[in-house]
């Protein structure tokens, strides 16, 4: 799903010379149909993401975070059972199960999950720029997912950041139900 989103975004910005930004093997995917349920090379995914961040997003991580928020509504449209109305913990548990369909490796872990708090360990195993952008996208995603489940006063912050030299990235999420 994310790979096809990246390709669709690049294709929609025809005024950008993507061939000057991406290697030949990545350009192949911009000319061929993308199957949403197929697996694609992580290296290509990373390069597409970096190119989008630089050329479309102007390096603005807040826009990446907002894109993560918007992607939740698309996901819910295709998997409405993902959200347990009024129950953020159950929603997060459902996401944990669904996550395996997005990556063929353990990209996200949820070691801490309580009634008003969660820790998400993020490790996409990409370069610093892509890892940071993907982490901000993930932050926006979880903020919106919690919101859809009825959580309020949602606050997300990184307590560890691999792109700044920490051994891993940890996203801390807090919320209330009032």
């Amino acid at each position: 799903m994310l790979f096809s989103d990246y390709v669709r975004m690049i294709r929609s910005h025809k005024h950008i010379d993507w061939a000057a930004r991406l290697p030949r093997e990545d350009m192949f995917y911009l000319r061929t149909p993308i199957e949403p349920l197929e697996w694609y090379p992580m290296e290509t995914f990373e390069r597409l993401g970096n190119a989008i961040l630089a050329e479309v997003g102007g390096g603005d991580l807040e826009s990446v975070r907002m894109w993560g928020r918007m992607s939740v509504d698309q996901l819910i449209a295709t998997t409405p059972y993902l959200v347990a109305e009024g129950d953020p913990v159950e929603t997060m548990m459902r996401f944990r199960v669904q996550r395996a369909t997005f990556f063929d490796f353990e990209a996200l872990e949820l070691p801490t999950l309580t009634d008003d708090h969660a820790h998400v360990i993020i490790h996409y195993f990409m370069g610093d720029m892509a890892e940071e952008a993907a982490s901000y996208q993930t932050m926006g995603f979880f903020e919106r997912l919690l919101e859809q489940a009825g959580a309020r006063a949602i606050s997300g912050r990184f307590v560890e950041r691999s792109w700044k030299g920490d051994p891993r990235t940890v996203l801390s999420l807090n919320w209330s139900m009032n």
Side-chain angles (χ1 to χ4, degrees), residues 98-173:
Q98 182 75 21
R99 180 216 42 83
T101 65
F102 301 135
F103 302 99
D104 61 352
F105 60 93
E106 199 71 31
L108 303 169
E109 296 177 45
L110 212 55
T112 304
L113 180 59
T114 67
D115 288 340
D116 62 356
H117 177 76
H119 271 167
V120 181
I121 298 174
I122 303 168
H123 39 86
Y124 293 106
F125 304 103
M126 298 187 287
D128 288 346
M129 186 168 102
E131 193 77 21
E132 181 178 18
S135 295
Y136 272 88
Q137 183 178 350
T138 301
M139 177 190 283
F141 178 90
F142 279 114
E143 288 169 340
R144 179 68 176 147
L145 184 63
L146 289 166
E147 193 175 273
Q148 287 287 5
R152 300 289 174 253
I154 302 160
S155 169
R157 68 182 184 90
F158 295 109
V159 293
E160 293 181 49
R161 299 171 296 177
S162 63
W163 63 90
K164 291 287 189 185
D166 291 325
R168 62 187 186 170
T169 299
V170 178
L171 170 62
S172 177
L173 295 160

Side-chain angles (χ1 to χ4, degrees), residues 7-49:
V7 169
R8 191 172 23 260
M9 186 178 298
I10 288 174
R11 287 176 181 165
S12 73
H13 288 83
K14 297 178 186 323
H15 64 283
I16 298 172
D17 182 6
W18 295 106
R21 182 96 175 124
L22 296 168
R24 178 186 217 159
E25 64 262 29
D26 296 349
M27 294 301 296
F28 167 80
Y29 295 105
L30 303 181
R31 295 185 305 269
T32 59
I34 300 300
E35 298 297 326
L37 300 178
E38 289 294 319
W39 293 104
Y40 293 94
M42 189 62 167
E43 298 80 14
T44 298
F45 179 75
E46 179 176 352
R47 288 188 296 263
L48 295 180

Side-chain angles (χ1 to χ4, degrees), residues 49-142:
N50 285 342
I52 291 167
L53 178 61
E55 297 293 332
V56 178
D60 178 21
L61 293 170
E62 194 55 34
S63 65
V64 175
R65 185 177 179 181
M66 290 302 109
W67 188 43
R69 290 180 62 83
M70 290 181 349
S71 68
V72 171
D73 296 338
Q74 293 172 332
L75 181 61
I76 290 171
T78 59
T79 38
Y81 58 84
L82 183 62
V83 174
E85 189 63 37
D87 193 344
V89 172
E90 176 61 22
T91 298
M92 295 288 275
M93 293 298 288
R94 290 177 184 183
F95 175 79
R96 181 187 286 177
V97 171
Q98 182 75 21
R99 180 216 42 83
T101 65
F102 301 135
F103 302 99
D104 61 352
F105 60 93
E106 199 71 31
L108 303 169
E109 296 177 45
L110 212 55
T112 304
L113 180 59
T114 67
D115 288 340
D116 62 356
H117 177 76
H119 271 167
V120 181
I121 298 174
I122 303 168
H123 39 86
Y124 293 106
F125 304 103
M126 298 187 287
D128 288 346
M129 186 168 102
E131 193 77 21
E132 181 178 18
S135 295
Y136 272 88
Q137 183 178 350
T138 301
M139 177 190 283
F141 178 90
F142 279 114

